[in-house]
Amino acid sequence: MATKNRIKYFKTPIIAGKYKGKQIEIPAINTTRSSKSILRESLFNSIAIDVVGSNFVEMFAGSGSIGLEALSRGAKKAYFLEKNSTALKLLRDNIESIAPNDSIIMAGDAFILFDNIYKTLRQSNQDTFFYFDPPFSIREGMEDIYNKCIDLIAKIQDSFVKMVIIEHMTQIELPDTIGSLERFKYKKFGKSSLSYYKLKDEDE
């Protein structure tokens, strides 16, 4: 509890859906970032119908604001991957107060956990969204984390994956094609941007 008392927290509401108005608590520290409300609203305006009944995987989940919004909008199950202990504690609290029965927390390094969750979801063959929001960094290694994410995303080649969305620094230029995926939509929100990818033959 002492750690929590030293950290400033603020709250952001679920924007829409069955949990609309419920508060998500977020620490005002660099270990986790709240996605801007305008970004979240734009994201779910884009995928609102498709996400209903699907699985939603939030990589680098932080406080879980994206995955919990997905559940509110009708996602069947949300998977949250998070390594940081401070963010993980908050993630557990947020999930417990909003959607404990439909949430699965995977504690640990997302880069290590990815293969396991991908295999599990592929076997279930249920429509799944992957949301990547790697930590921002202004120090050396900033580009490396995006390169690592790209290498991970390049493994995705199965039709159960309906979409991969990457929240990234606007100054980072992501490729139009990643493995079997191609970008079909891009939207900028100041310092942050969203890039949307689907399998290349998805609409053919």
Side-chain angles (χ1 to χ4, degrees):
M1 290 301 293
T3 301
K4 187 165 184 175
N5 292 335
R6 289 199 303 269
I7 298 171
K8 291 183 179 180
Y9 287 75
F10 63 94
K11 293 185 178 182
T12 184
I14 297 286
I15 298 169
K18 62 183 177 181
Y19 302 129
K20 180 179 179 180
K22 283 185 173 288
Q23 298 291 317
I24 300 170
E25 195 171 24
I26 295 170
I29 56 176
N30 291 331
T31 54
T32 185
R33 294 177 292 108
S34 168
S35 298
K36 301 174 184 175
S37 292
I38 190 170
L39 183 150
R40 270 195 294 148
E41 190 164 8
S42 175
L43 166 66
F44 285 99
N45 283 342
S46 297
I47 68 172
I49 297 175
D50 292 333
V51 80
V52 175
S54 298
N55 293 318
F56 195 95
V57 181
E58 186 175 7
M59 307 284 289
F60 317 103
S63 61
S65 62
I66 300 295
L68 287 169
E69 187 79 39
L71 288 173
S72 185
R73 307 281 185 133
K76 180 181 180 180
K77 188 81 70 176
Y79 297 79
F80 301 86
L81 284 68
E82 179 55 53
K83 178 173 72 170
N84 178 270
S85 58
T86 300
L88 197 56
K89 169 65 169 64
L90 199 59
L91 175 63
R92 294 185 194 280
D93 290 345
N94 285 332
I95 286 173
E96 185 62 32
S97 67
I98 297 175
N101 296 327
D102 302 318
S103 303
I104 297 174
I105 297 174
M106 299 181 71
D109 189 328
F111 293 108
I112 295 173
L113 295 172
F114 177 81
D115 286 349
N116 185 45
I117 190 172
Y118 187 83
K119 180 180 178 181
T120 299
L121 292 170
R122 182 175 59 193
Q123 289 172 343
S124 72
N125 198 32
Q126 297 174 341
D127 289 345
T128 300
F129 287 74
F130 281 89
Y131 191 87
F132 284 76
D133 179 15
F136 284 4
S137 173
I138 60 172
R139 297 173 299 200
E140 286 185 40
M142 176 183 69
E143 294 183 4
D144 182 58
I145 195 165
Y146 287 103
N147 289 336
K148 288 173 69 177
C149 284
I150 288 169
D151 288 344
L152 215 57
I153 293 167
K155 297 180 179 182
I156 295 174
Q157 53 186 323
D158 297 285
S159 59
F160 78 91
V161 180
K162 287 187 70 75
M163 201 178 299
V164 175
I165 305 112
I166 308 173
E167 180 180 339
H168 58 94
M169 297 177 73
T170 297
Q171 69 192 70
I172 298 293
E173 293 187 13
L174 295 180
D176 289 330
T177 301
I178 301 176
S180 300
L181 302 164
E182 63 181 359
R183 181 162 54 183
F184 68 94
K185 184 175 181 178
Y186 170 83
K187 196 154 187 182
K188 178 181 175 182
F189 306 87
K191 294 180 179 180
S192 298
S193 292
L194 289 175
S195 287
Y196 297 76
Y197 292 82
K198 280 187 176 181
L199 290 173
K200 292 177 185 178
D201 60 352
E202 181 78 3
D203 299 316
E204 292 178 3

